[in-house]
Structures are given as structure tokens and as C-alpha cells.
Amino acid sequence: DVVMTQTPPSLSVAIGQSVSISCKSSQSLVYSDGKTYLHWLLQSPGQSPKLLIYQVSNLGSGVPDRFSGTGSQKDFTLKISRVEAEDLGVYYCVQATHFPWTFGGGTKLELK
Amino acid sequence: EIQLQESGPGLVKPSQSLSLTCSVTGYTITSGYDWSWIRKFPGNKMEWMGYISYSGSTNYNPSLKSRISITRDTSKNQFFLQLNSVTTEDTATYYCASLGYWGQGVMVTVSS
């Protein structure tokens, strides 16, 4: 299975601060069609996960442009510019290039 | 708007089968997407269990070996999870999803 290593496991931030979350995979996530199926999810407290970014850098529906995703091959980053209170929760990267699909361990974003 | 809703028992005895239903509204499951079951264990660990595609093909996580089956009823626009021979390690919150769209989740406890 592809191992997804997500860091840091937790972040304590102030409103308005910018943060980055790293996700590294044990194999390249480039599929045979040339696309990279690396996505980012946010699970806010008491809610189900929500798709933030798909295929590395594409914003999900209704996701503010404070969120951005970059990376390639095995190394990916989610950046949140100017954190707002609604951004708190657990962030996951997930790869859907190789079976079985696998998740990172999660990054819990909390208020400082 | 696409909406997914899980239903099923919240308590299952060890060695028995876990059966869940996902009802989809706002989209016909034969039109597109892969329809997955994903679970979140106590703590943050997420596991993709498998999916049934819009064409009816299935793909399962090998970690679940021969215990899992995902089927569908296209007349009701529903898909189903059956997990056999459950143990306490199958205690989790179970989500049906297509990554971009998630149900609210159902907590299942395996206990005698």
C-alpha cells in the first residue's frame, strides 16, 4: 500500500496566521493518464469530511481561495492563508492513484 | 444538490455481519462517480474500504480480504456495505462518499 506521511500531526495557530501542511507519499502519485490523484479533505468538529482540493491544486466547490495546494510526484503541500475560525478541524490528504486508496494520518488545526 | 445518507444498526455483535445502506439523492448513481465506503476509527485514522463504480464494477481494500461486499439497487438509487465476521476492531464511524460528497456518517460499535 502507498504510505501517506502527513506532518505536522497538530498545529496551533492564531486567526489570520498562514500555515502549511505537508503530505509525502511512498510512491509517485502520477497515474497512467498523467493526472495526480492527490486530494485534501477537512473534517470540521462534528461534521463529515469535506473535499477542499482535488488533483493537487484544484479548489473544491465553494472552497475559499485562502486554500491552495501544490506539489508533484511524491511531495505535496496544503497552504492556508489567513486562517479563519471556520478552518479549524482535522485535515487529511488522500491518494486515489493506487489501490487501495490511502489517507494521511491527519493534521489537527487548533486555535492558539 | 447531491446528498448521501447512511442508515443501519449502530451495534453489531462480534462474528456477525455489519450491513449499511447509503441512499443517494440529487444524482443517479449509474450516471458517474465511484461510490465508496470509508471508515474513521477512534482517533483520526481513516480507511478506504472499497467502492462500486457507476458501471457496477467493484474494488475492495485487500486488508478486508473476503469479508467485504459492496452492492447496489439502481431502482432505489442506493448502494450497500456488507462486512462479515466483524470484530471489535471494526468499531468505527462509517461514511458513504464519492470524495466530493459525503454522508453524515453512522457510528457502528462491535460489542457483545
Side-chain angles (χ1 to χ4, degrees), chain B residues 32-85:
Chain B
Y33 298 128
D34 299 322
W35 302 95
S36 289
W37 287 98
I38 293 167
R39 61 183 178 177
K40 182 176 180 180
F41 297 100
N44 282 343
K45 183 183 175 185
M46 298 275 276
E47 181 182 62
W48 172 78
M49 303 178 71
Y51 72 60
I52 186 163
S53 74
Y54 68 94
S55 65
S57 63
T58 54
N59 208 310
Y60 300 133
N61 193 321
S63 70
L64 298 169
K65 298 179 182 178
S66 57
R67 295 200 297 137
I68 187 173
S69 176
I70 299 176
T71 57
R72 65 182 185 176
D73 183 335
T74 57
S75 68
K76 295 181 178 178
N77 214 39
Q78 296 175 326
F79 63 104
F80 311 100
L81 170 70
Q82 181 169 321
L83 186 66
N84 299 323
S85 306

Side-chain angles (χ1 to χ4, degrees), chain A residues 4-23:
Chain A
M4 304 296 289
T5 302
Q6 195 176 330
T7 56
S10 65
L11 274 172
S12 183
V13 301
I15 299 298
Q17 186 179 344
S18 294
V19 296
S20 292
I21 300 169
S22 171
C23 181

Side-chain angles (χ1 to χ4, degrees), chain A residues 15 38 45 62 65 69 78 110:
Chain A
I15 299 298
L38 182 284
D65 59 7
L78 173 70
E110 299 175 305

